[in-house]
Every structure is written in C-alpha cells, then in structure tokens.
Amino acid sequence: MSENGQEELAEAQREHWQQTYGEHPGMYGEEPSAPAVHAAAVFRASSAREVLELGAGHGRDALYFAREGFSVLATDFSPVGLEQLREAAAAQKVAERVTTAIHDVREALPLADASVDAVFAHMLLCMALSTKEIHALVAEVRRVLRPGGAFVYTVRHTGDAHYRAGTGHGDDIWEHGGFAVHFFPRDLVDALAEDWGLEEVHAFEEGGLPRRLWRVTQTVPV
C-alpha cells in the first residue's frame, strides 16, 4: 500500500472507531480483559508502579490497573473513548490514579527515555498499522521503558478466521465489518523482540468468532 493509501486507511479507521464508541458507550463492558489481569501480575512482579496503556479505548483495562493500585497513563486516538474512560474513573473513585492523553501511535510517544515502568496494549499493534509503523512503535515503547520494564501486548494472528477475509489492503491487513486488522505471522513477533528479552508468546482465543490471538510478554534487559 502506498503511503497516501495508508494515511487514508488510518483516517477512515479513526473515524470508524469514533463513531463506534459514540454509538456503543462502554462497548467492551466493565470487566477487564484476561490479558490485562495477566499483565497486572507481570507488572507487580517487576515492581512497576506506573503503567502506560496504548489504545485504551473506553478504559476497561486502564480502570482495572488503577483499581489494582497502579498509576495509569491511558492513551487512545479516540477522544470519545477517553471521555468515557474519565467519566468511569470518576465514578469508580480512581480518577486520581488515571491520566488520559489523545495520541496516535504512528507518532513518537510524548514521554522521556526510560520514564515508564510498564506498557500494555490489547489488540492495538494489530490495528491498521504497516509493518514499518509497528516496528517504529515498538522501538518507541522500548525507548520509554525503564531497564527491567515489561511490555505486554496482544495481537490477532494469521491463524484467525478473519485472516484473508474481507477487503485486503496488503501487508497482511484485512478489513472485515469496517475494522481493519494487521494479522501477525509468528516471525513478526520474533522480529519485534530483537534486543528485548522475549519472556512468553501465549496463544489464546477471545470473543464469539472466536478471535485467535497471541499474548506477548517481553522485557527490556537490565
């Protein structure tokens, strides 16, 4: 896909998510995802206090981290989702532990080097991002993580039922039902873990299709 085509797809996806969050407030419910529960245990084991969540949406996982005692910086490119997150944080009395920021992960993270204890991203890396953009994003995560810090992310992979279904945009990106997904081959996971410690690649399923995903845990060497 050309660079212009990638930008057009990205903007269309931004608008689609804005509309979806607006029409379906709290669309993923209030319970945390299973990967977030796992990540909280990983983060506690690494003595993390502050968690950066990329693609936080309306905040079910960010709010869970806050309830578990972490300070959370929740980012998303949807102002609508983040507004719902802030309202829920106030209702759950964890607003003092939650900060939100509108951010497109195609851009550099507005954080200093080695300033973050832990990073979490549930199905954010498998959005409509090119392989080049994914590598740049993971490099940014590594930059902002402190030595010993953990990065837990999940992605849909090429064994998923929607892989090669719907409209193909190249680079393993397929659009189905209005949502574009970059399906990960295993070699991409391994390439993203170069210069990291790859702790785990766990296969799991989620949702009614079901979606087939990997939960990846990697750490910055001390």
Side-chain angles (χ1 to χ4, degrees):
M1 186 189 305
S2 69
E3 189 171 323
N4 285 342
Q6 186 70 36
E7 289 176 0
E8 290 173 3
L9 177 61
E11 186 55 38
Q13 286 296 292
R14 186 200 306 269
E15 292 175 2
H16 186 65
W17 277 104
Q18 282 279 85
Q19 180 178 349
T20 300
Y21 282 130
E23 294 176 352
H24 306 282
M27 61 184 288
Y28 293 112
E30 294 185 2
E31 292 300 311
S33 67
V37 175
H38 170 81
V42 170
F43 297 159
R44 275 192 294 268
S46 68
S47 301
R49 295 182 178 181
E50 298 177 347
V51 175
L52 166 64
E53 183 179 358
L54 304 173
H58 64 74
R60 62 171 178 159
D61 291 337
L63 294 167
Y64 168 74
F65 292 136
R67 292 195 302 272
E68 289 293 298
F70 296 99
S71 294
V72 184
L73 172 57
T75 71
D76 200 276
F77 69 1
S78 169
V80 174
L82 292 179
E83 182 178 353
Q84 293 172 10
L85 191 162
R86 287 191 297 273
E87 291 173 353
Q92 295 178 27
K93 296 181 169 52
V94 293
E96 73 281 359
R97 289 200 291 273
V98 177
T99 304
T100 63
I102 299 169
H103 179 257
D104 188 325
V105 293
R106 294 171 183 82
E107 301 171 358
L109 290 166
L111 297 166
D113 295 359
S115 63
V116 175
D117 292 339
V119 180
F120 178 72
H122 184 28
M123 287 201 287
L124 183 277
L125 272 68
C126 62
M127 302 291 259
L129 300 168
S130 69
T131 298
K132 181 179 179 181
E133 289 170 336
I134 293 167
H135 273 279
L137 169 57
V138 172
E140 274 293 285
V141 170
R142 194 182 192 288
R143 180 184 66 79
V144 303
L145 263 177
R146 63 169 173 79
F151 178 30
V152 178
Y153 72 87
T154 66
V155 289
R156 293 173 74 175
H157 60 67
T158 53
D160 188 277
H162 279 166
Y163 180 53
R164 293 181 175 168
T167 303
H169 294 283
D171 201 12
D172 282 331
I173 298 173
W174 293 83
E175 184 176 345
H176 190 276
F179 294 98
V181 175
H182 189 137
F183 293 91
F184 272 47
R186 176 53 198 262
D187 62 358
L188 179 53
V189 172
D190 292 337
L192 293 172
E194 289 182 9
D195 301 323
W196 295 71
L198 182 57
E199 308 297 331
E200 180 189 46
V201 181
H202 171 72
F204 71 103
E205 297 182 346
E206 183 179 88
L209 183 61
R211 294 184 292 268
R212 293 192 173 93
L213 301 100
W214 283 318
R215 185 190 70 216
V216 181
T217 303
Q218 56 193 57
T219 56
V220 178
V222 178

